[in-house]
Amino acid sequence: EVQLVESGAGLVQPGGSLRLSCAASGFSFSTYAMGWVRQGPGKGLEWVSGLNRGGDVARYADSVSGRFTISRDNAKNTLYLQMTSLKPEDTAVYYCAKSMYADSPMGYDYWGQGTRVTVSS
């Protein structure tokens, strides 16, 4: 059974930093691209970032480019999202997602339960 468990939720002030983690199990983690998607209050789903299976090709939404960094540790079956210079508009539930593909950061077929990030003073 595929499981994706996010952690790292929290309340942070604008300009602050936070790191999210996603522990994966039930599939060959190193075989698939992974990504992060978020949903802000009252908003639809927004793709945030994706990373290929090897961890060397990352893509970002324009809204987070230059502030967020996605990475993975295939030995630990874990995906990360380092978030810096956080803004109130980054407030959302962040979901880890598994791609159906090895190198495309899209086409997600499994999702975690989400972890809530609140950016507020």
Side-chain angles (χ1 to χ4, degrees):
E1 178 188 6
V2 172
Q3 288 194 326
L4 300 170
V5 180
E6 301 96 336
S7 60
L11 170 65
V12 61
Q13 293 187 340
S17 300
L18 203 61
R19 188 175 83 156
L20 306 181
S21 299
C22 171
S25 62
F27 67 102
S28 179
F29 181 74
S30 62
T31 300
Y32 296 94
M34 298 289 294
W36 290 95
V37 180
R38 68 185 181 185
Q39 185 169 27
K43 300 181 181 179
L45 290 171
E46 177 189 17
W47 174 79
V48 174
S49 181
L51 187 63
N52 70 331
R53 59 180 170 174
D56 57 341
V57 179
R59 298 182 184 179
Y60 299 94
D62 289 344
S63 58
V64 307
S65 182
R67 300 187 298 119
F68 290 11
T69 302
I70 189 172
S71 62
R72 65 193 295 164
D73 186 334
N74 286 343
K76 295 182 178 180
N77 290 350
T78 303
L79 180 73
Y80 303 99
L81 185 68
Q82 178 68 51
M83 304 183 294
T84 63
S85 301
L86 283 161
K87 305 175 181 180
E89 50 263 44
D90 294 318
T91 295
V93 176
Y94 285 72
Y95 298 92
C96 168
K98 170 191 169 292
S99 174
M100 292 183 286
Y101 310 108
D103 295 313
S104 171
M106 298 295 185
Y108 302 122
D109 56 358
Y110 288 93
W111 303 72
Q113 83 288 349
T115 189
R116 185 175 301 275
V117 173
T118 302
V119 184
S120 175
S121 55

